[in-house]
Amino acid sequence: MTGWLGAAYDWVKAAHIIFVIFWMAGLFMLPRYLVYHQEALAAGRAEEAAQWVEREGKIRHIILTPALIVTWLLGLSLALNLGLADGVPGLGWLHAKLALVLLLSGYHGWMVGYARKLAAGKPTLTGRHLRMLNEVPALAVSLIVVLVIVRP
């Protein structure tokens, strides 16, 4: 399948980058929403907590999940175009990138699950822990960009 995208490769890559940006924006926003939601719960502000449930649902359904799906579809297309399925040598950087994207996808899923816990009024982490976890996407995307640009 190497080279199967032909002249469309640059367009697919551009679209992939655009949807990665959308996904990352959501991955940076949702943990902050979770912090505010959890703080509202802890302070007994039920009406505010309910507003955060609504906001979290919107960001998941409008930005995060669609961007995740399109990012994966376009990214896999690009990976296949580079020869991932054909065993082309020299793609160690791509394997590492895919591993990081899998971890980031797992983080996405964990955040969705934690948002559901908060919606049920069952927080299990502190605001400090949530703030620290908010750094996961920044670290992951930094490593991914280095892998894609430098291709070590």
Side-chain angles (χ1 to χ4, degrees):
M1 291 192 72
T2 304
W4 71 279
L5 288 173
Y9 178 80
D10 286 338
W11 288 102
V12 173
K13 185 168 34 170
H16 176 66
I17 292 168
I18 290 166
F19 280 92
V20 167
I21 291 169
F22 294 159
W23 186 33
M24 292 308 300
L27 288 177
F28 287 131
M29 288 175 64
L30 185 57
R32 179 56 48 190
Y33 282 15
L34 297 179
V35 168
Y36 297 147
H37 183 171
Q38 186 157 306
E39 289 174 349
L41 280 175
R45 299 187 307 261
E47 187 176 317
E48 182 184 343
Q51 289 175 334
W52 285 112
V53 170
E54 183 180 339
R55 291 173 185 147
E56 291 158 8
K58 283 181 180 178
I59 196 171
R60 283 193 325 264
H61 294 106
I62 296 170
I63 298 173
L64 270 171
T65 300
L68 167 79
I69 292 167
V70 175
T71 295
W72 267 101
L73 290 174
L74 294 172
L76 288 173
S77 297
L78 292 167
L80 292 172
N81 187 74
L82 290 175
L84 183 67
D86 299 333
V88 171
L91 294 179
W93 65 271
L94 183 56
H95 292 98
K97 176 195 174 188
L98 286 171
L100 287 169
V101 174
L102 274 171
L103 290 172
L104 206 52
S105 299
Y107 173 79
H108 173 137
W110 173 84
M111 279 196 317
V112 168
Y114 195 74
R116 289 187 179 127
K117 277 186 184 180
L118 286 180
K122 300 176 183 175
T124 57
L125 297 172
T126 66
R128 177 176 159 79
H129 286 118
L130 285 174
R131 284 181 175 87
M132 289 173 32
L133 287 169
N134 196 23
E135 302 307 319
V136 169
L139 177 61
V141 79
S142 298
L143 293 170
I144 289 168
V145 167
V146 168
L147 288 168
V148 171
I149 301 300
V150 178
R151 296 186 179 188

